[in-house]
Coordinates of all heavy atoms in Angstrom, one line a residue:
M17 N 86.7 113.5 115.8 CA 87.3 112.7 116.8 C 88.5 112.0 116.3 O 88.5 111.5 115.2 CB 86.3 111.7 117.4 CG 86.9 110.8 118.4 SD 85.8 109.6 119.1 CE 85.0 110.6 120.3
T18 N 89.6 112.1 117.1 CA 90.8 111.4 116.8 C 90.6 109.9 116.9 O 90.0 109.4 117.9 CB 92.0 111.8 117.6 OG1 92.1 113.3 117.5 CG2 93.2 111.1 117.3
K19 N 91.1 109.1 115.9 CA 90.9 107.7 116.0 C 92.3 107.1 116.1 O 93.2 107.4 115.3 CB 90.3 107.1 114.7 CG 88.8 107.6 114.6 CD 88.2 107.0 113.3 CE 86.8 107.4 113.2 NZ 86.1 106.8 112.1
A20 N 92.5 106.1 117.0 CA 93.8 105.5 117.2 C 93.6 104.0 117.2 O 92.6 103.4 117.6 CB 94.4 105.9 118.6
I21 N 94.6 103.3 116.7 CA 94.7 101.9 116.7 C 95.9 101.6 117.7 O 97.0 102.2 117.6 CB 95.0 101.3 115.3 CG1 93.8 101.5 114.5 CG2 95.3 99.8 115.4 CD1 93.9 101.1 113.0
F22 N 95.6 100.6 118.6 CA 96.6 100.3 119.6 C 97.0 98.8 119.5 O 96.2 98.0 119.4 CB 96.0 100.5 121.0 CG 97.0 100.3 122.2 CD1 97.7 101.3 122.7 CD2 97.1 99.0 122.7 CE1 98.6 101.1 123.8 CE2 97.9 98.7 123.7 CZ 98.7 99.8 124.3
A23 N 98.3 98.6 119.5 CA 98.8 97.2 119.5 C 99.9 97.0 120.5 O 100.7 97.9 120.7 CB 99.3 96.8 118.1
G24 N 99.9 95.8 121.1 CA 100.9 95.5 122.1 C 100.2 95.4 123.5 O 99.0 95.5 123.6
T25 N 101.1 95.3 124.5 CA 100.6 95.2 125.9 C 100.3 96.6 126.4 O 100.8 97.6 125.9 CB 101.6 94.5 126.8 OG1 102.8 95.3 126.8 CG2 101.8 93.1 126.4
D26 N 99.4 96.7 127.4 CA 99.0 98.0 127.9 C 99.3 98.1 129.4 O 98.5 98.4 130.2 CB 97.5 98.2 127.7 CG 97.1 99.7 128.0 OD1 98.0 100.6 128.0 OD2 95.9 99.9 128.1
E27 N 100.6 97.8 129.7 CA 101.0 97.8 131.2 C 101.0 99.1 131.8 O 101.0 99.3 133.0 CB 102.3 97.1 131.3 CG 103.5 97.8 130.7 CD 104.8 97.0 130.7 OE1 104.9 96.0 130.1 OE2 105.7 97.5 131.4
H28 N 100.9 100.2 131.0 CA 100.9 101.6 131.6 C 99.6 102.3 131.5 O 99.5 103.4 131.7 CB 102.0 102.4 130.9 CG 103.4 101.9 131.0 ND1 104.1 102.0 132.2 CD2 104.2 101.2 130.2 CE1 105.3 101.4 132.1 NE2 105.4 100.9 130.9
A29 N 98.6 101.5 131.1 CA 97.2 102.0 131.0 C 97.1 103.1 130.0 O 96.3 104.1 130.2 CB 96.6 102.4 132.4
L30 N 97.8 103.0 128.9 CA 97.7 104.1 127.8 C 96.4 104.1 127.2 O 95.9 105.2 126.8 CB 98.9 103.9 126.9 CG 99.1 104.9 125.8 CD1 99.2 106.3 126.3 CD2 100.2 104.6 124.9
V31 N 95.8 103.0 126.9 CA 94.5 103.0 126.3 C 93.5 103.8 127.1 O 92.8 104.6 126.5 CB 93.9 101.5 126.1 CG1 92.5 101.5 125.6 CG2 94.8 100.8 125.1
A32 N 93.4 103.6 128.4 CA 92.5 104.3 129.2 C 92.8 105.8 129.2 O 91.9 106.7 129.2 CB 92.5 103.8 130.6
A33 N 94.1 106.2 129.2 CA 94.5 107.6 129.1 C 94.1 108.2 127.8 O 93.7 109.4 127.8 CB 96.0 107.7 129.4
L34 N 94.3 107.5 126.7 CA 93.9 108.0 125.4 C 92.4 108.2 125.4 O 91.9 109.3 124.9 CB 94.3 107.0 124.3 CG 95.8 106.9 124.0 CD1 96.1 105.7 123.1 CD2 96.3 108.2 123.4
E35 N 91.6 107.2 125.8 CA 90.2 107.4 125.9 C 89.7 108.5 126.8 O 88.7 109.2 126.5 CB 89.5 106.0 126.3 CG 89.7 105.0 125.2 CD 89.2 103.6 125.7 OE1 89.1 103.3 126.9 OE2 88.9 102.8 124.8
A36 N 90.4 108.7 127.8 CA 90.1 109.8 128.8 C 90.2 111.2 128.1 O 89.6 112.2 128.5 CB 90.9 109.8 130.1
E37 N 91.1 111.2 127.1 CA 91.3 112.5 126.3 C 90.4 112.6 125.1 O 90.6 113.5 124.3 CB 92.8 112.5 125.8 CG 93.8 112.7 126.9 CD 93.7 114.1 127.6 OE1 93.3 115.1 127.0 OE2 94.0 114.2 128.8
G38 N 89.5 111.6 125.0 CA 88.5 111.7 123.9 C 88.9 111.1 122.6 O 88.3 111.3 121.6
I39 N 90.0 110.3 122.7 CA 90.5 109.6 121.5 C 89.7 108.2 121.4 O 89.7 107.5 122.4 CB 92.0 109.4 121.6 CG1 92.7 110.8 121.5 CG2 92.5 108.5 120.4 CD1 94.2 110.7 121.8
E40 N 89.2 107.9 120.3 CA 88.6 106.6 120.0 C 89.7 105.6 119.7 O 90.4 105.7 118.8 CB 87.6 106.7 118.8 CG 86.9 105.5 118.5 CD 86.1 105.6 117.2 OE1 85.4 106.7 117.0 OE2 86.1 104.7 116.4
V41 N 89.7 104.6 120.6 CA 90.8 103.6 120.5 C 90.3 102.2 120.1 O 89.3 101.7 120.7 CB 91.6 103.5 121.8 CG1 92.7 102.4 121.7 CG2 92.1 104.8 122.3
T42 N 90.9 101.6 119.1 CA 90.6 100.2 118.7 C 91.8 99.4 119.0 O 92.9 99.8 118.5 CB 90.3 100.1 117.2 OG1 89.2 101.0 116.9 CG2 90.0 98.7 116.8
V43 N 91.7 98.4 119.8 CA 92.8 97.6 120.2 C 92.9 96.3 119.4 O 91.9 95.7 119.2 CB 92.6 97.2 121.7 CG1 93.7 96.2 122.2 CG2 92.6 98.4 122.6
I44 N 94.1 96.1 118.9 CA 94.3 94.8 118.2 C 94.8 93.8 119.2 O 95.8 94.0 119.8 CB 95.4 95.0 117.1 CG1 94.9 96.0 116.0 CG2 95.8 93.7 116.5 CD1 95.9 96.3 115.0
P45 N 94.0 92.8 119.5 CA 94.2 91.9 120.6 C 95.4 90.9 120.3 O 96.0 90.4 121.3 CB 93.0 91.1 120.8 CG 92.3 91.2 119.4 CD 92.7 92.5 118.8
D46 N 95.7 90.7 119.1 CA 96.8 89.7 118.8 C 97.9 90.4 118.0 O 98.3 91.5 118.3 CB 96.3 88.5 118.0 CG 95.3 87.7 118.9 OD1 95.6 87.4 120.0 OD2 94.2 87.4 118.3
V47 N 98.4 89.8 117.0 CA 99.5 90.4 116.2 C 98.9 91.5 115.2 O 97.9 91.2 114.6 CB 100.2 89.3 115.4 CG1 101.2 89.9 114.4 CG2 100.8 88.3 116.3
A48 N 99.6 92.6 115.1 CA 99.2 93.7 114.2 C 99.7 93.4 112.8 O 100.6 94.1 112.3 CB 99.7 95.0 114.8
N49 N 99.1 92.5 112.1 CA 99.5 92.2 110.8 C 98.5 93.0 109.8 O 97.6 93.6 110.3 CB 99.5 90.7 110.5 CG 98.1 90.0 110.8 OD1 97.1 90.7 110.9 ND2 98.2 88.7 111.1
R50 N 98.7 92.8 108.5 CA 97.8 93.6 107.6 C 96.3 93.3 107.8 O 95.6 94.3 107.9 CB 98.2 93.2 106.2 CG 97.4 94.0 105.1 CD 97.9 93.7 103.7 NE 99.1 94.4 103.4 CZ 99.2 95.7 103.0 NH1 98.1 96.3 102.7 NH2 100.4 96.2 102.7
P51 N 95.9 92.0 107.9 CA 94.4 91.9 108.1 C 93.9 92.5 109.4 O 92.9 93.1 109.5 CB 94.3 90.3 108.1 CG 95.5 89.8 107.4 CD 96.6 90.8 107.7
A52 N 94.7 92.4 110.5 CA 94.3 93.0 111.7 C 94.2 94.5 111.7 O 93.3 95.1 112.2 CB 95.2 92.5 112.9
L53 N 95.2 95.1 111.0 CA 95.2 96.5 110.8 C 94.0 97.0 110.0 O 93.4 98.0 110.3 CB 96.5 97.0 110.2 CG 97.7 97.0 111.1 CD1 99.0 97.1 110.2 CD2 97.7 98.1 112.1
E54 N 93.7 96.2 108.9 CA 92.5 96.6 108.1 C 91.3 96.5 108.9 O 90.4 97.4 108.8 CB 92.5 95.6 106.9 CG 93.5 96.0 105.8 CD 93.5 95.0 104.6 OE1 92.9 93.9 104.7 OE2 94.0 95.4 103.6
E55 N 91.1 95.4 109.7 CA 89.9 95.2 110.5 C 89.8 96.3 111.5 O 88.7 96.7 111.8 CB 90.0 93.8 111.1 CG 88.7 93.5 111.9 CD 88.7 92.1 112.4 OE1 89.2 91.2 111.8 OE2 88.1 91.9 113.5
A56 N 90.9 96.7 112.0 CA 90.9 97.8 113.1 C 90.6 99.2 112.5 O 90.3 100.1 113.2 CB 92.2 97.8 113.9
G57 N 90.7 99.3 111.2 CA 90.4 100.6 110.6 C 91.6 101.5 110.3 O 91.5 102.7 110.4
I58 N 92.7 100.9 110.0 CA 93.9 101.7 109.7 C 93.7 102.7 108.6 O 94.3 103.8 108.7 CB 95.1 100.8 109.4 CG1 96.5 101.6 109.4 CG2 95.0 100.1 108.1 CD1 96.8 102.1 110.8
H59 N 92.9 102.5 107.7 CA 92.7 103.4 106.5 C 92.2 104.8 107.0 O 92.5 105.8 106.4 CB 91.8 102.8 105.5 CG 92.4 101.6 104.8 ND1 93.5 101.7 104.0 CD2 92.0 100.3 104.9 CE1 93.8 100.5 103.6 NE2 92.9 99.6 104.1
D60 N 91.4 104.8 108.1 CA 90.8 106.0 108.6 C 91.4 106.5 109.9 O 91.0 107.4 110.5 CB 89.3 105.8 108.9 CG 88.6 105.4 107.6 OD1 88.9 106.0 106.6 OD2 87.7 104.6 107.6
A61 N 92.5 105.8 110.4 CA 93.1 106.1 111.7 C 94.0 107.3 111.6 O 94.6 107.6 110.6 CB 93.9 104.9 112.2
D62 N 94.0 108.1 112.7 CA 94.9 109.2 112.8 C 96.2 108.8 113.5 O 97.3 109.4 113.2 CB 94.2 110.3 113.7 CG 92.9 110.8 113.1 OD1 92.9 111.3 112.0 OD2 91.9 110.5 113.7
L63 N 96.1 107.8 114.4 CA 97.3 107.3 115.2 C 97.4 105.8 115.2 O 96.4 105.1 115.2 CB 97.1 107.7 116.6 CG 97.0 109.2 117.0 CD1 96.6 109.3 118.5 CD2 98.4 109.8 116.8
F64 N 98.6 105.3 115.1 CA 98.9 103.9 115.4 C 99.9 103.9 116.5 O 101.0 104.4 116.4 CB 99.5 103.2 114.1 CG 99.9 101.8 114.3 CD1 99.0 100.9 114.9 CD2 101.1 101.3 114.0 CE1 99.3 99.6 115.1 CE2 101.5 100.0 114.2 CZ 100.6 99.2 114.8
V65 N 99.4 103.3 117.7 CA 100.2 103.3 118.9 C 100.7 101.9 119.1 O 99.8 101.0 119.2 CB 99.4 103.8 120.1 CG1 100.2 103.8 121.4 CG2 98.9 105.2 119.8
L66 N 102.0 101.7 119.3 CA 102.6 100.4 119.4 C 103.4 100.4 120.7 O 104.2 101.3 121.0 CB 103.4 100.1 118.2 CG 104.1 98.7 118.1 CD1 103.0 97.6 117.9 CD2 105.1 98.7 117.0
T67 N 103.2 99.3 121.5 CA 104.0 99.2 122.7 C 105.0 98.0 122.7 O 105.7 97.8 123.6 CB 103.1 99.1 124.0 OG1 102.3 97.9 123.8 CG2 102.2 100.3 124.1
D68 N 104.9 97.2 121.6 CA 105.7 96.0 121.5 C 106.6 96.0 120.3 O 106.1 95.9 119.2 CB 104.7 94.8 121.4 CG 105.5 93.5 121.3 OD1 106.7 93.4 121.3 OD2 104.8 92.4 121.2
V69 N 107.9 96.3 120.5 CA 108.8 96.4 119.3 C 108.9 95.1 118.6 O 109.4 95.1 117.4 CB 110.2 97.0 119.7 CG1 110.1 98.4 120.3 CG2 110.9 96.1 120.7
G70 N 108.5 94.0 119.2 CA 108.4 92.7 118.5 C 107.4 92.8 117.3 O 107.5 91.9 116.4
Q71 N 106.5 93.7 117.3 CA 105.6 93.9 116.3 C 105.9 95.1 115.4 O 105.0 95.6 114.7 CB 104.2 94.1 116.9 CG 103.7 92.8 117.6 CD 102.2 92.9 117.9 OE1 101.4 93.2 117.0 NE2 101.8 92.7 119.1
A72 N 107.2 95.5 115.4 CA 107.6 96.7 114.6 C 107.3 96.6 113.1 O 107.2 97.6 112.4 CB 109.0 97.0 114.9
T73 N 107.2 95.4 112.6 CA 106.9 95.2 111.2 C 105.6 95.8 110.8 O 105.3 96.1 109.7 CB 106.9 93.7 110.8 OG1 106.0 93.0 111.6 CG2 108.3 93.1 110.9
A74 N 104.7 96.0 111.8 CA 103.4 96.6 111.6 C 103.6 98.1 111.2 O 102.7 98.7 110.6 CB 102.5 96.5 112.8
I75 N 104.7 98.8 111.6 CA 104.8 100.2 111.3 C 104.9 100.5 109.8 O 104.1 101.3 109.3 CB 106.1 100.7 112.0 CG1 105.8 100.7 113.5 CG2 106.4 102.1 111.6 CD1 107.0 101.0 114.4
P76 N 105.8 99.8 109.0 CA 105.8 100.1 107.6 C 104.5 99.6 106.9 O 104.0 100.3 105.9 CB 107.0 99.4 107.0 CG 107.4 98.4 108.1 CD 106.9 99.0 109.4
I77 N 103.9 98.6 107.4 CA 102.6 98.1 106.9 C 101.5 99.2 107.1 O 100.8 99.5 106.1 CB 102.2 96.8 107.5 CG1 103.1 95.7 107.1 CG2 100.7 96.4 107.1 CD1 102.9 94.4 107.9
A78 N 101.5 99.7 108.3 CA 100.5 100.8 108.6 C 100.7 102.0 107.7 O 99.7 102.6 107.2 CB 100.5 101.1 110.1
K79 N 102.0 102.4 107.5 CA 102.3 103.6 106.7 C 101.9 103.3 105.2 O 101.5 104.3 104.5 CB 103.7 104.0 106.9 CG 104.1 104.6 108.2 CD 103.3 105.9 108.5 CE 104.0 107.1 107.9 NZ 103.3 108.3 108.3
T80 N 102.1 102.1 104.8 CA 101.7 101.8 103.4 C 100.2 101.9 103.2 O 99.8 102.4 102.2 CB 102.2 100.4 103.0 OG1 103.6 100.3 103.2 CG2 101.8 100.0 101.6
M81 N 99.5 101.5 104.2 CA 98.0 101.5 104.1 C 97.4 102.9 104.4 O 96.3 103.2 103.9 CB 97.5 100.5 105.1 CG 97.9 99.0 104.8 SD 97.5 97.9 106.0 CE 95.7 97.7 105.8
N82 N 98.2 103.7 105.1 CA 97.7 105.1 105.4 C 98.9 106.0 105.6 O 99.4 106.0 106.7 CB 96.8 105.0 106.7 CG 96.3 106.4 107.1 OD1 96.7 107.4 106.6 ND2 95.4 106.4 108.1
A83 N 99.3 106.6 104.6 CA 100.5 107.5 104.7 C 100.4 108.6 105.7 O 101.4 109.1 106.1 CB 100.8 108.0 103.3
D84 N 99.2 109.0 106.1 CA 99.0 110.1 107.0 C 99.0 109.7 108.4 O 98.9 110.6 109.3 CB 97.8 110.9 106.6 CG 97.9 111.5 105.3 OD1 99.0 111.9 104.9 OD2 96.8 111.6 104.6
V85 N 98.9 108.4 108.7 CA 98.8 107.9 110.1 C 100.1 108.3 110.9 O 101.2 108.2 110.4 CB 98.5 106.4 110.2 CG1 99.7 105.6 109.8 CG2 98.0 106.0 111.6
R86 N 99.9 108.8 112.1 CA 101.0 109.1 113.0 C 101.4 107.9 113.8 O 100.5 107.3 114.3 CB 100.7 110.3 113.9 CG 100.6 111.6 113.2 CD 100.3 112.8 114.1 NE 101.2 112.8 115.2 CZ 100.9 113.3 116.4 NH1 99.6 113.7 116.6 NH2 101.8 113.3 117.4
I87 N 102.7 107.5 113.8 CA 103.1 106.3 114.5 C 103.7 106.8 115.9 O 104.6 107.6 115.9 CB 104.2 105.6 113.7 CG1 103.7 105.3 112.3 CG2 104.6 104.3 114.4 CD1 102.6 104.3 112.1
V88 N 103.2 106.2 116.9 CA 103.8 106.4 118.2 C 104.2 105.1 118.9 O 103.3 104.2 118.9 CB 102.7 107.1 119.2 CG1 103.3 107.4 120.5 CG2 102.2 108.4 118.5
V89 N 105.4 105.0 119.3 CA 105.9 103.8 119.9 C 106.1 104.1 121.4 O 107.0 105.0 121.7 CB 107.1 103.2 119.3 CG1 107.6 102.0 120.0 CG2 106.8 102.9 117.8
F90 N 105.4 103.5 122.3 CA 105.5 103.8 123.7 C 106.1 102.6 124.5 O 105.5 101.7 124.8 CB 104.1 104.1 124.3 CG 104.0 104.6 125.7 CD1 104.5 105.8 126.0 CD2 103.4 103.9 126.7 CE1 104.5 106.3 127.3 CE2 103.3 104.4 128.0 CZ 103.8 105.6 128.3
T91 N 107.5 102.6 124.5 CA 108.2 101.5 125.1 C 109.6 102.0 125.5 O 110.1 103.0 124.9 CB 108.3 100.3 124.1 OG1 109.0 99.3 124.8 CG2 109.0 100.7 122.9
D92 N 110.2 101.3 126.4 CA 111.6 101.6 126.7 C 112.6 100.7 125.9 O 113.8 100.8 126.0 CB 111.9 101.4 128.2 CG 111.5 100.0 128.8 OD1 111.1 99.2 128.0 OD2 111.7 99.8 130.0
D93 N 112.1 99.9 125.0 CA 112.9 99.1 124.2 C 113.3 99.8 122.9 O 112.6 100.8 122.5 CB 112.1 97.8 123.7 CG 111.8 96.9 124.9 OD1 112.6 96.8 125.8 OD2 110.7 96.2 124.9
S94 N 114.4 99.5 122.3 CA 114.9 100.1 121.1 C 114.1 99.6 119.9 O 113.9 98.4 119.8 CB 116.4 99.9 120.9 OG 117.1 100.4 122.0
L95 N 113.9 100.4 119.0 CA 113.2 100.0 117.7 C 114.3 99.3 116.8 O 115.4 99.7 116.8 CB 112.7 101.2 117.0 CG 111.4 101.8 117.6 CD1 111.1 103.2 116.9 CD2 110.2 100.9 117.3
P96 N 113.8 98.4 116.1 CA 114.7 97.7 115.1 C 115.2 98.7 114.1 O 114.5 99.7 113.7 CB 113.9 96.6 114.4 CG 112.7 96.5 115.3 CD 112.5 97.7 116.1
E97 N 116.4 98.5 113.5 CA 117.0 99.4 112.5 C 116.1 99.6 111.3 O 116.1 100.7 110.7 CB 118.4 98.9 112.1 CG 119.2 99.9 111.4 CD 120.6 99.4 111.2 OE1 121.2 99.0 112.1 OE2 121.0 99.5 110.0
F98 N 115.4 98.5 110.8 CA 114.6 98.7 109.6 C 113.5 99.7 109.8 O 112.9 100.2 108.8 CB 114.0 97.4 109.2 CG 112.9 96.8 110.0 CD1 111.6 97.2 109.8 CD2 113.1 95.9 111.0 CE1 110.5 96.7 110.5 CE2 112.2 95.4 111.8 CZ 110.8 95.8 111.5
V99 N 113.1 100.1 111.0 CA 112.1 101.1 111.2 C 112.7 102.5 111.3 O 111.9 103.5 111.2 CB 111.3 100.8 112.5 CG1 110.2 101.8 112.8 CG2 110.7 99.4 112.5
S100 N 114.0 102.6 111.3 CA 114.6 103.9 111.5 C 114.3 105.0 110.4 O 114.3 106.1 110.7 CB 116.1 103.8 111.7 OG 116.7 103.3 110.5
G101 N 114.0 104.5 109.2 CA 113.6 105.4 108.2 C 112.2 105.9 108.2 O 111.8 106.8 107.5
Q102 N 111.4 105.3 109.1 CA 110.0 105.7 109.2 C 109.9 106.9 110.1 O 110.7 107.1 111.0 CB 109.2 104.5 109.8 CG 109.2 103.3 109.0 CD 108.4 103.4 107.7 OE1 107.4 104.0 107.6 NE2 109.0 102.7 106.6
E103 N 108.8 107.7 110.0 CA 108.5 108.8 110.9 C 107.8 108.2 112.1 O 106.7 107.8 112.0 CB 107.7 109.9 110.3 CG 108.4 110.7 109.2 CD 107.5 111.8 108.7 OE1 106.7 112.4 109.5 OE2 107.6 112.0 107.5
V104 N 108.6 108.1 113.2 CA 108.0 107.4 114.4 C 108.4 108.3 115.6 O 109.5 108.8 115.8 CB 108.7 106.0 114.6 CG1 108.2 105.4 115.9 CG2 108.4 105.1 113.5
L105 N 107.3 108.6 116.4 CA 107.5 109.2 117.7 C 107.7 108.2 118.7 O 106.8 107.4 119.0 CB 106.3 110.1 118.0 CG 106.3 110.8 119.4 CD1 107.5 111.7 119.5 CD2 105.1 111.5 119.6
A106 N 109.0 108.0 119.2 CA 109.3 107.0 120.2 C 109.3 107.7 121.6 O 110.0 108.7 121.8 CB 110.6 106.4 119.9
V107 N 108.5 107.1 122.5 CA 108.4 107.7 123.8 C 108.7 106.6 124.9 O 108.1 105.5 124.8 CB 106.9 108.3 124.1 CG1 106.8 108.9 125.4 CG2 106.6 109.3 123.0
D108 N 109.6 107.0 125.8 CA 110.0 106.0 126.8 C 109.0 106.3 128.0 O 109.0 107.4 128.5 CB 111.4 106.3 127.2 CG 112.0 105.3 128.2 OD1 111.2 104.7 129.0 OD2 113.2 105.2 128.3
P109 N 108.3 105.3 128.5 CA 107.4 105.4 129.7 C 108.1 105.9 130.9 O 107.5 106.4 131.8 CB 106.9 104.0 129.8 CG 107.1 103.3 128.6 CD 108.3 103.9 127.9
A110 N 109.5 105.7 131.0 CA 110.2 106.2 132.2 C 110.4 107.7 132.1 O 110.6 108.3 133.2 CB 111.6 105.5 132.2
L111 N 110.2 108.3 131.0 CA 110.4 109.7 130.8 C 109.0 110.5 130.8 O 108.9 111.6 131.3 CB 111.1 110.1 129.6 CG 112.5 109.5 129.5 CD1 113.2 109.8 128.1 CD2 113.4 110.0 130.6
L112 N 108.0 109.9 130.2 CA 106.7 110.5 130.1 C 105.6 109.4 130.5 O 105.7 108.3 129.9 CB 106.4 111.1 128.7 CG 107.2 112.3 128.3 CD1 106.9 112.6 126.8 CD2 106.9 113.5 129.2
D113 N 104.7 109.8 131.4 CA 103.7 108.8 131.7 C 102.6 108.8 130.7 O 102.5 109.6 129.8 CB 103.1 109.1 133.1 CG 102.4 110.4 133.3 OD1 102.0 111.0 132.2 OD2 102.3 110.9 134.4
A114 N 101.7 107.8 130.8 CA 100.7 107.6 129.8 C 99.7 108.8 129.7 O 99.3 109.1 128.6 CB 99.9 106.3 130.1
E115 N 99.4 109.4 130.8 CA 98.5 110.5 130.8 C 99.1 111.7 130.0 O 98.4 112.4 129.3 CB 98.1 111.0 132.2 CG 97.3 110.0 133.0 CD 98.0 108.7 133.5 OE1 99.3 108.8 133.6 OE2 97.4 107.7 133.8
T116 N 100.4 112.0 130.2 CA 101.0 113.1 129.5 C 101.1 112.8 128.0 O 100.8 113.7 127.2 CB 102.5 113.3 130.1 OG1 102.3 113.5 131.5 CG2 103.1 114.4 129.4
V117 N 101.4 111.6 127.7 CA 101.5 111.2 126.2 C 100.1 111.3 125.6 O 99.9 111.9 124.5 CB 102.0 109.8 126.1 CG1 101.9 109.3 124.6 CG2 103.5 109.7 126.5
A118 N 99.1 110.8 126.3 CA 97.7 110.9 125.8 C 97.3 112.4 125.6 O 96.7 112.8 124.6 CB 96.7 110.2 126.7
E119 N 97.6 113.2 126.6 CA 97.2 114.6 126.5 C 97.9 115.3 125.3 O 97.3 116.1 124.6 CB 97.7 115.3 127.8 CG 97.3 116.8 127.9 CD 97.8 117.4 129.2 OE1 97.5 116.7 130.3 OE2 98.3 118.5 129.2
E120 N 99.2 115.0 125.1 CA 99.9 115.6 123.9 C 99.4 115.1 122.6 O 99.2 115.9 121.7 CB 101.4 115.3 124.1 CG 102.1 116.0 125.1 CD 102.1 117.5 124.9 OE1 102.3 118.0 123.8 OE2 101.9 118.2 125.9
L121 N 99.0 113.8 122.5 CA 98.5 113.3 121.3 C 97.1 113.8 121.0 O 96.8 114.1 119.8 CB 98.4 111.7 121.3 CG 99.8 111.0 121.4 CD1 99.6 109.5 121.6 CD2 100.6 111.3 120.1
A122 N 96.3 114.1 122.0 CA 95.0 114.6 121.8 C 95.1 116.1 121.4 O 94.2 116.6 120.7 CB 94.2 114.5 123.1
S123 N 96.1 116.8 121.8 CA 96.2 118.2 121.5 C 96.9 118.5 120.2 O 96.9 119.6 119.7 CB 96.8 119.0 122.6 OG 98.2 118.6 122.8
S124 N 97.5 117.5 119.6 CA 98.3 117.8 118.4 C 97.6 117.3 117.1 O 96.6 116.7 117.1 CB 99.7 117.1 118.5 OG 99.6 115.7 118.6

């Protein structure tokens, strides 16, 4: 089973869409810092889904803790420049809805 960690707001119901595709989702309710990522299980996660670019510092932290985790940013906001060197799949909700994104993530 694919395991995902989700951080940020869920205004597009992406968590429900991921779960509907059979992905096990752990939501970080507050800030996605190192302790929160560890508690959520980043070491064993397949995906780290972020919807709040204000928490973009979590991306390099997550990659440091799990080099194989796929990073998906689901927002219409631009990512900060310091994240540009990271492998990040950035998806704009205006272009792809949550169900389509969840379906693609479950099949890849």
